[in-house]
Amino acid sequence: MAKSKVLVVGGTGYIGRRIVKASLEQGYPTYVLQRPEIGLDVDKVQILLSFKKQGARLVEGSFSDIQSLIEVVKQVDVVICTMSGVHFRSHNILLQLKLVEAIKAAGNVKRFLPSEFGMDPARMEHALEPGRVTFDEKMIVRRAIEEANIPHTYVSANCFAGYFVGNLCQMDRLTPPKDKVNIYGDGNVKGLDYPSQVGVGHFFHIFYEGCLTNFEIGEGAEEASRLYPEVRYTRMEEFLKLYA
């Protein structure tokens, strides 16, 4: 049986690069969206060319030209969107909704994975402002997918990337501090810039409220380690030894 053709949208990003690599290693015909808006970003161009060298096919399409997106989507069976959730607000939600529109119009996609990869937004309707906007907007995309009857999978990867481990949950760095650590309160600290307010709110839900633990996954969902038992997961103690 021929393997599904996979399109990665946002392939030059943190998650996207790894999805492209994994897709190629698994032997899937892998397509990567190349947007004309990339302009003079030499680093992204080099990443795209490296994908091509590894066997990926670069396909050009623009979110400002819905027909070009439709033509790209018609070439594949699976679409994986990996656009950054860090900058998810307003602009990126519009882009994802356009992608949903293109997938619906193409009518051939067997599976769509939208840009999730964080906490499950369906469980975060009580989240503190301003961070809750991330979850609210992801739910808008989910509703659009479901209303369009597009076959889909939501990947709730939570804190998989280790952003909060090596830095001991300090928002301004990725390595352990040497002199002191900040202990955060209830997410309502005054005088913080917007990204820091979002971060503190997420810390409250994760570490105080425990939103990522002790809940039933629910019907129609599965825990990743059961789907991929061959994957060796790194335990917290082992990960922290890297910084010793």
Side-chain angles (χ1 to χ4, degrees):
M1 179 182 292
K3 288 199 170 186
S4 297
K5 297 177 181 179
V6 177
L7 169 67
V8 181
V9 179
T12 60
Y14 176 81
I15 295 177
R17 280 175 283 173
R18 289 157 174 80
I19 295 291
V20 172
K21 180 176 182 289
S23 180
L24 289 168
E25 289 178 347
Q26 292 293 321
Y28 290 97
T30 304
Y31 296 63
V32 181
L33 182 67
Q34 178 177 327
R35 297 167 56 190
E37 295 86 354
I38 196 172
L40 301 177
D41 193 327
V42 176
D43 290 336
K44 287 188 177 181
V45 170
Q46 290 180 338
I47 292 171
L48 289 170
L49 291 177
S50 73
F51 292 156
K52 186 176 181 180
K53 188 175 181 179
Q54 295 170 57
R57 180 176 175 182
L58 305 183
V59 284
E60 188 164 304
S62 173
F63 283 96
S64 62
D65 179 1
I66 190 67
Q67 190 57 43
S68 72
L69 280 183
I70 294 171
E71 294 305 317
V72 168
V73 169
K74 283 182 177 180
Q75 300 178 57
V76 301
D77 307 300
V78 176
V79 177
I80 304 175
C81 183
T82 61
M83 290 187 296
S84 174
V86 176
H87 306 292
F88 198 83
R89 294 201 66 187
S90 52
H91 181 61
N92 276 14
I93 186 176
L94 294 176
L95 299 188
Q96 278 221 91
L97 291 175
K98 285 187 177 182
L99 185 57
V100 171
E101 181 184 349
I103 293 171
K104 180 180 179 180
N108 60 289
V109 171
K110 298 176 182 177
R111 182 67 46 177
F112 175 42
L113 283 70
S115 182
E116 294 252 349
F117 310 109
M119 289 181 277
D120 184 352
R123 302 185 60 252
M124 300 303 297
E125 60 183 9
H126 66 293
L128 298 171
E129 296 286 5
R132 69 168 293 159
V133 68
T134 303
F135 310 117
D136 292 343
E137 293 189 345
K138 285 184 178 182
M139 288 304 297
I140 291 173
V141 175
R142 282 192 178 190
R143 286 193 291 271
I145 294 168
E146 292 161 12
E147 289 172 2
N149 293 316
I150 297 171
H152 58 273
T153 297
Y154 302 135
V155 179
S156 297
N158 301 315
C159 299
F160 80 104
Y163 284 127
F164 308 142
V165 181
N167 61 355
L168 303 181
C169 300
Q170 305 305 292
M171 291 184 292
D172 59 346
R173 58 188 302 145
L174 290 175
T175 55
K178 301 296 184 181
D179 50 357
K180 66 177 182 179
V181 295
N182 292 315
I183 299 177
Y184 305 104
D186 62 0
N188 292 310
V189 179
K190 306 301 181 182
L192 296 176
D193 59 21
Y194 182 86
S196 297
Q197 291 177 50
V198 171
V200 169
H202 288 350
F203 283 172
F204 171 75
H205 295 300
I206 295 168
F207 299 115
Y208 181 82
E209 188 179 71
C211 68
L212 304 184
T213 60
N214 300 321
F215 62 88
E216 296 295 329
I217 292 178
E219 186 178 353
E222 188 58 87
E223 209 283 322
S225 62
R226 294 189 178 183
L227 294 175
Y228 306 100
E230 73 281 5
V231 174
R232 179 182 177 276
Y233 294 91
T234 303
R235 294 186 177 277
M236 192 74 72
E237 181 180 0
E238 182 180 354
F239 186 86
L240 284 173
K241 284 181 180 179
L242 295 172
Y243 298 93

